[in-house]
């Protein structure tokens, strides 16, 4: 076994914990293995890896999602530093529509977050010089990209940063609240 998984509070979100093998040289772990992911119920084919760098603590990315036909399942893994990650079910016909799950991921804990297609995903850096690897099951498509305001009180996400202290893009500051979304997944 190379990977353990456990569901988070919202179905469609998994906490993935790679098994770390240590010896006198250091350590080794497998980030993604098709058979291990399949055993955890993840059958997505990941076609793109991206790395996002946050220079300062309190940098917020998201909450982002893409519409069909390029909806994205994603896996987040921290390569350096730590983050608070949150995901929101944006599938209008889901019994958990609008519910959010969150988890702290760090280089030191080696944990990963899997969010199936149909979830808006965002994160906040908890340390300076944080790097995050994002595996996605579809390429980015700006015409299908959407976002939700990370401060939406209806989502009940306990972000570890005050809005006044957040470092965030102009685009993400102006994202609509979930209730004001016109494009959601079915």
């Amino acid at each position: 076994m190379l990977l353990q998984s456990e569901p988070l509070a919202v179905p469609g979100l998994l906490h993935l914990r790679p098994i770390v093998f240590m010896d006198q040289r250091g350590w080794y772990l497998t980030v993604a293995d098709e058979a291990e992911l399949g055993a955890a119920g993840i059958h997505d084919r990941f076609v793109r890896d991206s790395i996002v760098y946050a220079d300062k603590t309190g940098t917020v990315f998201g909450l982002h999602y893409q519409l069909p036909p390029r909806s994205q399942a994603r896996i987040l893994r921290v390569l350096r530093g730590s983050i608070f990650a949150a995901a929101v079910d944006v599938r209008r016909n889901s019994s958990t529509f609008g519910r959010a799950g969150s988890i702290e991921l760090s280089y030191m804990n080696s944990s990963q977050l899997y969010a199936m297609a149909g979830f808006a995903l965002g994160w906040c850096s908890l340390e300076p010089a944080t790097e995050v690897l994002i595996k996605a099951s579809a390429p980015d498509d700006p015409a299908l990209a959407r976002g939700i305001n990370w401060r939406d009180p209806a989502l009940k996400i306990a972000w570890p940063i005050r809005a006044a202290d957040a470092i965030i893009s102009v685009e993400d500051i102006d994202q609509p609240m979930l209730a004001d979304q016109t494009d959601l997944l079915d």
Side-chain angles (χ1 to χ4, degrees), residues 15-167:
H15 175 194
L16 304 176
R17 291 176 300 145
I19 305 300
V20 179
F21 300 94
M22 301 177 103
D23 65 20
Q24 71 278 8
R25 300 168 295 171
W27 56 267
Y28 165 85
L29 63 82
T30 298
V31 174
D33 176 272
E34 188 174 331
E36 296 276 336
L37 292 173
I42 300 170
H43 302 289
D44 302 289
R45 182 174 159 256
F46 293 93
V47 299
R48 183 183 53 80
D49 290 356
S50 300
I51 295 175
V52 179
Y53 175 78
D55 192 43
K56 297 180 178 160
T57 300
T59 302
V60 176
F61 294 85
L63 300 156
H64 302 142
Y65 65 100
Q66 268 188 192
L67 299 173
R70 295 204 179 202
S71 298
Q72 295 173 317
R74 288 164 288 176
I75 295 176
L76 291 184
R77 179 178 183 349
V78 175
L79 302 175
R80 179 173 34 171
S82 61
I83 65 172
F84 171 87
V88 178
D89 188 344
V90 294
R91 299 169 297 158
R92 183 186 348 253
N93 297 324
S94 169
S95 64
T96 57
F97 173 73
R99 285 189 42 205
S102 63
I103 189 169
E104 189 172 315
L105 306 175
S106 72
Y107 168 77
M108 293 304 292
N109 71 19
S110 300
S111 288
Q112 301 173 96
L113 171 64
Y114 166 77
M116 67 182 280
F119 280 78
L121 188 60
W123 56 273
C124 172
S125 60
L126 300 175
E127 298 178 43
T130 292
E131 288 182 32
V132 178
L133 171 68
I134 304 168
K135 298 182 80 53
S137 64
D140 286 345
D141 187 333
L144 299 173
R146 300 294 185 272
I148 300 169
N149 194 297
W150 71 286
R151 297 168 298 159
D152 186 338
L155 304 177
K156 299 179 181 152
I157 299 172
W159 292 96
I161 184 167
R162 295 178 331 129
D165 297 330
I167 301 164

